[in-house]
Amino acid sequence: MVVQALRDQGVDVVFGYPGGAVLPIYDEIFQQNDIRHVLVRHEQGAVHAAEGYARSTGKPGVVIVTSGPGATNAVTGITDALMDSIPLVVLSGQVPTFMIGNDAFQEADTVGITRACTKHNWLVKDTANLSGTIHEAFHVATTGRPGPVLIDIPKDVQFASSTYTPPQKARTSHYQPPVKGDMDSIKELVEAIEKAKKPIIYTGGGVINSGPAASLLLRELVDSTNFPVTSTLMGLGAYPGTGKNWLGMLGMHGLYEANMAMHDCDLMINIGARFDDRITGLVSAFSPNSKKAHIDIDPSSVNKVIRVDIPIIGDVGHVLEDILKIWKSRGRKTDKEGLQGWWTKIEEWKKIDCLSFKQTGSVIKPQYALHRLEELTRDHDRYICTEVGQHQMWAAQYLTFNDPNRWMTSGGLGTMGYGLPASVGVQMAHPEALVINVAGEASWLMNMQEMGTAVQFRLPVKQFIMNNERLGMVRQWQELLHGERYSQSWSEALPDFVKLAEAFGCKGIKVDNPDDLDEAIKEMLAYDGPVILDCLVEKHENCFPMIPSGEPHNKMLLGDAKTKDAIGTSGAVLV
Amino acid sequence: MSALKIKKGSTKHSAYNLRPDFSDVIETHTLAVLVDNEAGVLARVIGLFSGRGYNIDSLTVAEIDHTGHTSRITIVTTGTPQVIEQIKAQLGRIVPVHEVHDLSVEGPSVERELALLKVAGLGDKRVEALRLADIFRANVVDSTLESFVFEITGTSDKIDAFAELMGPLGLIEVARTGVAALSRGQ
């Protein structure tokens, strides 16, 4: 019955790990061929893989885990999906109903544990409700602000038989968040667009979640108004990175021009972002002189951190459509003179060239590694995953994203160990595409067991490990904020990644010289199968620009020569 | 460009001590939340308050529609206007929550609470307790030769006042229901 419900929901792949309390479901899976099951090596990997699948396809990811440890291992991934609004349906086994509460073997209060990290969850105690609950779960996961849901299914409920409820006849949930924005507010925003002299459009993951149409509408709005556009980490690709109005990512490690424009603007249009603390910096000094509009499907995101003047609750796609309709019907007006001055100012900021670096000497700079990766892969049908840390920020800065759903990263929760399993999920969804996981060695080791999954399922994921033998971001903060006391932030006793790759049955490549880098990347791309590329990079490189915590946008650091000298590293200094 | 503004060795700069400077006037609001009476719904509401650091001054819950299985949760909470707005939006996000009403802003409302107070004493104190109970229109619902249990209904302030008076007269135990509230008129 579970498999039939999944099939009727259009599921073609599930990620999971069997165990005692889900054996009846696995028995069903064994007896069919419509749904492929990807056997992961750890339940956290299953959830991240499903996130990668969901993020790269726009469809909900499905996970099956067993009771107790199976469910608790999935908690990190589920929380990650909640923070980044990724639709997931997690099915967990549970001990039989008559044993619940008895501290049975592999029993955990899964609905209790996951209540805080799911959008909603259910414990199904009666088989008659099972298929209907699964259909409702898909509805809740994908409607409104997407998120993970969990269905806990006791083993006796899996065994018992009952009448199947098809999706059409399932209980229609009252959960129906409105998608159309308030017209008066939209008109108010259009008037502000017409008058703005120094506007900026600040987009987030909501544009991606709203679907490809929303990205097209965003492009139309940006290009026809000639407004500058920036994006959060989660929203990269909604507006093309090669687009003429693109300012680059904003926030703590965002681009100078993007953050300065956010600070100095007179109209800020937040589309599907949530004023996260990595974006705002010091809240009281955040963009002090701007009128702020906020389009979000989740009312609790509005006025949570930043007070806005024009709140619009609705789906990004629908609201953008209405904005464009009204703006066009009123004659497509903008303050062209004001905009020209604004762009002149922005061009001045761009001249700072905050991402410039110099590759000198015989040690690979991480920026250079990503620069070469970008050059050698930009023409491919490419999907990028990352782990969490410095490499993640550099990837966001130095790689170019021209389409939505091409960038899988753990933003809100910042989960080290996300990227490798996510790349597995992305490759499952796009078997022919080039899937690269830009990783740091420490993050990568957190879920490295999933390399076995990649090999088993012949998923040619490319693991681009920028190995600085450090927890780079932790080290950077310790250098800047904790008096260079590098407490526990180095990676000692690292494995030999080439031998590790061989042990997993895939290809390993090691590169430690800038002159050999291109050849190594080409070798990685040419190999028909999973590859671990161990790219040894500068150990003490810091990630700039950086807004130090507690500072506003216009107090960015663009690299500090003194700091670098103090730690005795060679290499170019950022501007 | 700006030099490094943060001092080396300083540990004051953390991403988590950024405090927005919103209005800090603390208000008390009474919220009525209509929910599906399903397993765990109260835990979701309470978990929201504890997880996000909101206050619960009082909370009352009971099923109000036995056929439709809906419950009404009445919550008295305190916070700045910003926090109260967040609480309402966050409550509205919970899937089994149907409606959230802020009775403190949606017009006049009536609020009542029921309390049971056990008062033990002899002689003059016992007579005085009974006399005050009469003034407060509290009923005696249990009596022994040495004690009364009073039942009193009213606003929380009235019950506070009554309990305070009973203190010196031998108050030994109190049970309160928390506030139930409805808007006035139609």
Side-chain angles (χ1 to χ4, degrees):
Chain A
M1 185 180 289
V2 170
V3 169
Q4 191 181 347
L6 295 179
R7 196 186 293 127
D8 286 352
Q9 286 291 339
V11 175
D12 56 1
V13 56
V14 299
F15 302 88
Y17 203 98
V22 282
L23 286 176
I25 297 176
Y26 273 84
D27 208 31
E28 279 188 76
I29 289 172
F30 187 78
Q31 299 175 44
Q32 56 85 49
N33 286 316
D34 297 340
I35 297 176
R36 284 175 301 161
H37 179 276
V38 179
L39 176 70
V40 295
R41 300 298 185 264
H42 184 287
E43 288 87 351
Q44 186 190 350
V47 185
H48 292 323
E51 286 186 88
Y53 177 90
R55 189 86 189 160
S56 66
T57 60
K59 286 168 31 179
V62 181
V63 176
I64 303 176
V65 296
T66 192
S67 63
T72 55
N73 277 347
V75 165
T76 300
I78 296 171
T79 312
D80 188 89
L82 184 76
M83 291 290 271
D84 286 344
S85 306
I86 310 290
L88 292 186
V89 176
V90 181
L91 306 174
S92 58
Q94 182 53 280
V95 300
T97 46
F98 54 86
M99 292 176 83
I100 289 176
N102 282 340
D103 295 332
F105 176 65
Q106 293 198 326
E107 179 183 356
D109 175 11
T110 304
V111 285
I113 290 169
T114 59
R115 197 174 283 129
C117 64
T118 51
K119 189 172 168 188
H120 194 57
N121 61 16
W122 297 263
L123 171 64
V124 181
K125 286 185 169 170
D126 183 348
T127 312
N129 299 330
L130 180 55
S131 46
T133 304
I134 293 175
H135 298 314
E136 198 190 346
F138 275 87
H139 171 75
V140 171
T142 53
T143 312
R145 179 174 177 180
V149 299
L150 179 139
I151 311 171
D152 203 25
I153 314 172
K155 196 172 182 181
D156 55 334
V157 174
Q158 296 171 35
F159 264 125
S161 51
S162 179
T163 320
Y164 176 72
T165 313
Q168 303 78 20
K169 290 192 178 160
R171 186 172 82 102
T172 47
S173 171
H174 77 273
Y175 181 75
Q176 302 286 357
V179 291
K180 295 289 265 185
D182 172 55
M183 272 312 195
D184 290 338
S185 306
I186 291 176
K187 267 183 204 138
E188 198 183 337
L189 174 55
V190 169
E191 280 166 25
I193 288 173
E194 289 167 349
K195 283 183 206 143
K197 289 186 190 327
K198 299 189 286 178
I200 187 161
I201 294 175
Y202 144 49
T203 67
V207 184
I208 314 261
N209 278 335
S210 180
S215 289
L216 291 177
L217 289 162
L218 172 73
R219 290 159 191 221
E220 189 184 344
L221 179 73
V222 170
D223 293 340
S224 52
T225 55
N226 194 29
F227 283 7
V229 57
T230 178
S231 166
T232 66
L233 182 73
M234 298 309 294
L236 296 176
Y239 185 82
T242 50
K244 71 177 171 62
N245 291 19
W246 176 241
L247 300 188
M249 182 175 78
L250 81 160
M252 183 174 273
H253 294 288
L255 270 66
Y256 182 71
E257 49 268 38
N259 284 334
M260 291 304 281
M262 285 287 280
H263 189 266
D264 283 6
C265 66
D266 68 352
L267 172 66
M268 179 187 298
I269 308 173
N270 170 346
I271 307 178
R274 60 183 173 89
F275 294 113
D276 180 87
D277 58 71
R278 304 285 105 164
I279 297 301
T280 58
L282 183 65
V283 167
S284 57
F286 176 72
S287 192
N289 302 314
S290 62
K291 184 175 233 186
K292 298 176 186 73
H294 187 180
I295 303 165
D296 204 301
I297 199 156
D298 177 5
S300 73
S301 287
V302 176
N303 286 328
K304 180 173 68 180
V305 180
I306 299 291
R307 262 180 203 282
V308 296
D309 306 287
I310 312 173
I312 302 173
I313 309 296
D315 171 66
V316 165
H318 284 84
V319 174
L320 281 175
E321 198 176 356
D322 287 337
I323 290 171
L324 277 164
K325 210 184 291 173
I326 295 177
W327 180 69
K328 284 177 188 167
S329 71
R330 288 165 57 111
R332 296 166 164 268
K333 280 179 285 203
T334 54
D335 183 344
K336 295 207 171 53
E337 209 171 302
L339 277 175
Q340 202 174 5
W342 183 225
W343 274 110
T344 310
K345 184 100 196 202
I346 290 171
E347 291 305 328
E348 278 170 31
W349 289 324
K350 279 189 175 179
K351 280 192 193 121
I352 298 281
D353 198 7
C354 65
L355 292 184
S356 67
F357 64 93
K358 271 193 199 126
Q359 174 64 49
T360 51
S362 60
V363 180
I364 301 172
K365 285 207 153 263
Q367 298 93 330
Y368 179 72
L370 284 164
H371 170 66
R372 293 314 303 160
L373 185 70
E374 167 72 13
E375 292 291 315
L376 294 169
T377 63
R378 72 156 57 116
D379 297 329
H380 288 69
D381 177 18
R382 183 184 78 178
Y383 292 81
I384 301 284
C385 301
T386 75
E387 307 284 346
V388 169
Q390 286 182 321
H391 68 273
Q392 178 191 28
M393 294 298 113
W394 282 316
Q397 291 170 344
Y398 290 91
L399 301 181
T400 307
F401 302 96
N402 286 326
D403 291 298
N405 304 101
R406 297 284 177 151
W407 166 245
M408 274 54 60
T409 193
S410 170
L413 194 64
T415 311
M416 292 171 71
Y418 167 91
L420 166 53
S423 69
V424 165
V426 174
Q427 192 84 70
M428 274 307 288
H430 309 279
E432 304 300 325
L434 170 63
V435 180
I436 303 173
N437 176 34
V438 176
E441 83 290 347
S443 282
W444 192 85
L445 286 174
M446 279 201 179
N447 272 326
M448 69 163 192
Q449 75 285 349
E450 299 308 330
M451 215 53 213
T453 311
V455 172
Q456 182 186 340
F457 290 86
R458 298 168 191 276
L459 302 170
V461 290
K462 311 302 181 196
Q463 304 300 318
F464 190 76
I465 301 176
M466 298 208 290
N467 184 350
N468 59 2
E469 300 172 8
R470 299 287 183 280
L471 309 185
M473 194 60 96
V474 172
R475 195 207 61 80
Q476 176 169 346
W477 280 54
Q478 287 171 338
E479 179 189 327
L480 298 179
L481 302 168
H482 294 273
E484 300 181 46
R485 292 180 294 279
Y486 299 123
S487 179
Q488 306 297 319
S489 58
W490 68 94
S491 307
E492 219 161 283
L494 280 172
D496 178 330
F497 285 97
V498 175
K499 282 191 182 149
L500 189 66
E502 284 163 10
F504 273 117
C506 62
K507 187 179 179 64
I509 308 168
K510 182 176 180 173
V511 62
D512 57 5
N513 190 307
D515 299 335
D516 302 333
L517 181 62
D518 278 23
E519 216 39 57
I521 293 174
K522 283 179 193 162
E523 194 183 347
M524 173 182 87
L525 298 176
Y527 184 72
D528 182 21
V531 179
I532 300 172
L533 175 57
D534 183 17
C535 178
L536 291 165
V537 297
E538 166 70 56
K539 298 186 199 314
H540 300 119
E541 190 68 28
N542 282 334
C543 185
F544 290 113
M546 177 182 183
I547 304 177
S549 295
E551 296 284 358
H553 278 169
N554 59 347
K555 299 272 175 69
M556 294 193 88
L557 308 179
L558 292 170
D560 186 320
K562 278 184 201 158
T563 308
K564 287 191 183 301
D565 291 344
I567 55 172
T569 57
S570 58
V573 172
L574 299 165
V575 177
Chain B
M1 271 325 302
S2 67
L4 202 60
K5 280 280 164 63
I6 35 185
K7 276 186 196 154
K8 287 246 179 116
S10 155
T11 52
K12 284 179 192 161
H13 291 80
S14 157
Y16 304 102
N17 57 20
L18 308 179
R19 282 279 159 262
D21 56 348
F22 294 126
S23 154
D24 54 357
V25 182
I26 302 290
E27 298 176 354
T28 299
H29 284 236
T30 306
L31 308 178
V33 188
L34 296 176
V35 300
D36 286 327
N37 185 18
E38 59 179 42
V41 66
L42 187 60
R44 285 179 211 285
V45 171
I46 293 171
L48 169 68
F49 276 75
S50 63
R52 293 190 183 261
Y54 307 141
N55 302 308
I56 299 180
D57 289 358
S58 136
L59 184 140
T60 313
V61 57
E63 188 169 80
I64 53 164
D65 176 358
H66 296 306
T67 49
H69 299 293
T70 46
S71 291
R72 186 181 175 104
I73 303 176
T74 309
I75 305 169
V76 181
T77 182
T78 51
T80 62
Q82 187 94 13
V83 167
I84 302 279
E85 284 307 308
Q86 260 299 298
I87 292 173
K88 289 191 273 184
Q90 293 289 355
L91 283 169
R93 221 154 76 106
I94 298 175
V95 171
V97 168
H98 289 254
E99 294 171 34
V100 180
H101 294 286
D102 186 344
L103 298 174
S104 305
V105 299
E106 288 179 12
S109 60
V110 278
E111 294 187 3
R112 289 293 180 270
E113 189 178 352
L114 184 144
L116 298 172
L117 298 92
K118 189 177 283 179
V119 181
L122 295 168
D124 285 352
K125 282 189 175 177
R126 184 172 163 83
V127 175
E128 182 62 12
L130 201 58
R131 205 177 67 79
L132 283 168
D134 193 38
I135 293 169
F136 276 80
R137 293 189 197 143
N139 299 318
V140 177
V141 291
D142 177 69
S143 174
T144 66
L145 291 174
E146 289 156 9
S147 72
F148 290 118
V149 173
F150 295 114
E151 171 206 312
I152 181 169
T153 311
T155 62
S156 300
D157 287 349
K158 176 181 165 181
I159 292 170
D160 288 344
F162 185 62
E164 200 173 316
L165 286 172
M166 287 298 127
L169 300 179
L171 181 67
I172 53 175
E173 213 173 351
V174 184
R176 297 173 71 151
T177 59
V179 172
L182 280 180
S183 61
R184 287 182 188 271
Q186 289 188 323

